[in-house]
Structures are given as C-alpha cells and as structure tokens.
Amino acid sequence: MKDKHEIQAEALREAETSLYQAVVSLRDTGECHDFFHDLCTPAELQALIDRWAVVGLLRKGLTYRDINDRTGVSVTTVGRVARFLAEGYGGYRKVAERLGSNL
C-alpha cells in the first residue's frame, strides 16, 4: 500500500504533466496571456518574463552586467539563466532556436 507521501508525490507529478498539457493546448499569444495571468501572481509572471528576456540578451552576447543595467535583473539571476542555457535541460535553447530573431 502506498503511503501518504507517495500518493502526494504521484498527485504532484500528474498535476505537473497536466500543466504542461495545458500550455501545449494554448492556441495563440492571446490565450497564453490570459492563461499565464490567471495562473501566476504578478511577481511570478514578472520573474518568468525577466528570465526569458535574459535568454535573448545572453544569446546576443551581452555581459551579465550589461543585462543587469538594461533589465534590472540581478546578476545572480542572469548567471542562473546562463547556466541553464548552457547546461540545463535544453528548453531555453530549443525554444530560442525556434524563435530565432523573434526572441
């Protein structure tokens, strides 16, 4: 029999998968806007926007300090994004490459 922690972990994995399916089901930027504004607090959404902006600026070759000056995103966060861009799961890179100059 599964214990309480195993059941909770399984429920969280299912919720995570459901979230990804929800994102994939969005049809356009308008739907994305509405979904993310419902899903996230303003601070959470701003953090996501900041990180994505950092991806584009890193790909353009800006220094951490230049990115901080342009965006106000902390150098620590810029470094974290840079690390995941280089050595993470490949998500930033895949999407950035798909968007190309539209990033």
Side-chain angles (χ1 to χ4, degrees):
M1 178 193 273
K2 293 182 181 179
D3 71 9
K4 181 178 179 180
H5 296 292
E6 289 174 320
I7 293 168
Q8 289 173 340
E10 185 175 321
L12 288 174
R13 281 190 301 274
E14 289 172 5
E16 181 180 8
T17 298
S18 178
L19 174 63
Y20 300 147
Q21 290 168 336
V23 170
V24 170
S25 79
L26 298 169
R27 292 191 170 104
D28 57 37
T29 56
E31 286 187 5
C32 288
H33 174 277
D34 295 346
F35 180 74
F36 279 96
H37 279 265
D38 285 346
L39 180 67
C40 300
T41 67
E44 291 166 339
L45 186 58
Q46 189 60 55
L48 294 172
I49 292 165
D50 289 347
R51 289 176 187 155
W52 187 242
V54 168
V55 169
L57 296 171
L58 286 168
R59 287 174 50 88
K60 290 178 181 175
L62 274 71
T63 67
Y64 291 15
R65 183 62 54 203
D66 288 339
I67 293 170
N68 169 263
D69 290 343
R70 280 191 183 198
T71 65
V73 175
S74 73
V75 173
T76 302
T77 297
V78 174
R80 186 176 303 119
V81 171
R83 186 173 62 251
F84 276 89
L85 184 59
E87 302 169 6
Y89 294 92
Y92 283 149
R93 188 174 50 258
K94 284 176 196 165
V95 175
E97 287 171 358
R98 284 183 193 146
L99 293 177
S101 63
N102 293 328
L103 176 62

